[in-house]
Amino acid sequence: TRRVQAPRSTKRRVRTRETLTSEELGKLIEAAKIHTPERYAEFVTLAYTGMRSGELWALRFSDIDANSAHICRAVSAGGITDTTKTGWERHVYLPELVVEAIAEHRKAMVRDQHRGLHSGLVFPSDVGTPRTSASLTKVFKKVREKAGIEQHVSPRVLRRTFNTLMAEAGVNELVLRSQMGHSEQDMTLYYFEGHLEAKEAAWADTFQARV
C-alpha cells in the first residue's frame, strides 16, 4: 500500500500573494505610527522580528534583555501555554526601533496605569488578559487602507514578509531559522515567497553578461 499513490486533484493550485514588498512594509509601519499609535509597538515588533502573533502576546517584559527577547511560550485558545508552537525555545534579535517602540509603549502603560501591568505581559488586552489574533483584525484593515495597500495584511503576512526579505538579502539559513523558530528547513522554504524584483535582480546577476 505504500507504493500506491492517491489520485491527484485536478483543481489548479493558486498561491495567493502573502507578502509585502519592502516599500509596502515601510508604508504600513508609518501608517500604524500615525493612525494607531497605541498599537504601533505591536506592528513594528511583528514586522521586524518575524515573531508569531501568539508568541508576541505571550511575551513578558521579563523575557526582554537589551536587544533580544526570550521566546518560550505562546497564546493558544485564549490562554498562555508554557511552550512555543514547535516546542523549541529561542532568542530573537530586537532591532533598535523595536526596542524603542516597546520602551515607549511601557511608559504609556505606566502613565495610564494600564489594567494589564500586573500581568507582566508586554501587550495585554485592555482588561489585562492575553490578546488574540482577532484583536488586530480591524486595526490591520484600517492601517492597510491608510497605507494604500490593496492586498490582505495580517500577522501571518508580516511573518512571511520578514522571512522573504531576509532570505532575499542572503541571510544565513540557520540564522534565519533560529530567528523565525522554524524546526525544519521546509518551513523556511514554505514561508519564502520571492518578490519579482528580487527574481529579476537574480536573473540579471546570473545571465545579464551572457546575453
Side-chain angles (χ1 to χ4, degrees):
T1 56
R2 291 181 180 178
R3 294 194 296 269
V4 177
Q5 295 183 352
R8 294 185 177 182
S9 173
T10 57
K11 184 178 179 180
R12 291 183 61 190
R13 298 178 64 186
V14 180
R15 186 174 185 178
T16 58
R17 180 169 175 246
E18 293 186 315
T19 62
L20 302 175
T21 64
S22 181
E23 181 181 0
E24 288 173 330
L25 182 62
K27 290 180 178 179
L28 186 80
I29 296 303
E30 185 62 25
K33 189 173 185 178
I34 296 173
H35 301 288
T36 58
E38 71 283 359
R39 307 298 293 275
Y40 168 72
E42 288 174 82
F43 268 88
V44 76
T45 304
L46 287 170
Y48 293 122
T49 67
M51 209 180 294
R52 297 181 179 91
S53 58
E55 296 169 343
L56 177 76
W57 290 314
L59 191 67
R60 296 191 173 103
F61 285 105
S62 58
D63 298 324
I64 298 176
D65 180 21
N67 61 344
S68 71
H70 182 204
I71 307 301
C72 55
R73 65 185 72 86
V75 170
S76 179
I80 297 180
T81 63
D82 291 329
T83 182
T84 64
K85 181 179 179 180
T86 58
W88 290 90
E89 295 185 15
R90 70 187 191 282
H91 286 82
V92 302
Y93 171 71
L94 302 179
E96 185 176 353
L97 78 166
V98 172
V99 173
E100 292 176 351
I102 291 177
E104 289 300 317
H105 169 70
R106 171 68 176 176
K107 289 179 182 178
M109 289 182 69
V110 173
R111 181 193 66 222
D112 300 336
Q113 284 299 291
H114 193 286
R115 294 176 65 182
L117 276 174
H118 70 280
S119 70
L121 294 173
V122 179
F123 299 111
S125 70
D126 292 339
V127 295
T129 56
R131 287 193 183 279
T132 63
S133 297
S135 68
L136 273 179
T137 301
K138 292 182 179 180
V139 181
F140 263 84
K141 183 176 185 295
K142 176 182 178 179
V143 172
R144 173 183 63 78
E145 292 175 347
K146 293 294 184 180
I149 298 173
E150 295 184 0
Q151 78 158 91
H152 171 71
V153 179
S154 66
R156 180 184 177 88
V157 169
L158 292 186
R159 182 167 160 80
R160 279 185 175 275
T161 298
F162 179 87
N163 184 88
T164 297
L165 293 177
M166 292 282 276
E168 288 179 344
V171 173
N172 180 281
E173 182 184 313
L174 291 178
V175 173
L176 181 54
R177 283 177 60 186
S178 178
Q179 177 78 10
M180 295 288 292
H182 290 155
S183 58
E184 298 177 357
Q185 177 183 3
D186 288 349
M187 285 306 299
T188 304
L189 180 61
Y190 175 73
Y191 269 81
F192 176 79
E193 184 177 331
H195 293 119
L196 184 61
E197 295 81 0
K199 295 174 182 177
E200 179 182 1
W203 186 94
D205 290 343
T206 306
F207 300 108
Q208 195 66 58
R210 304 180 187 180
V211 296

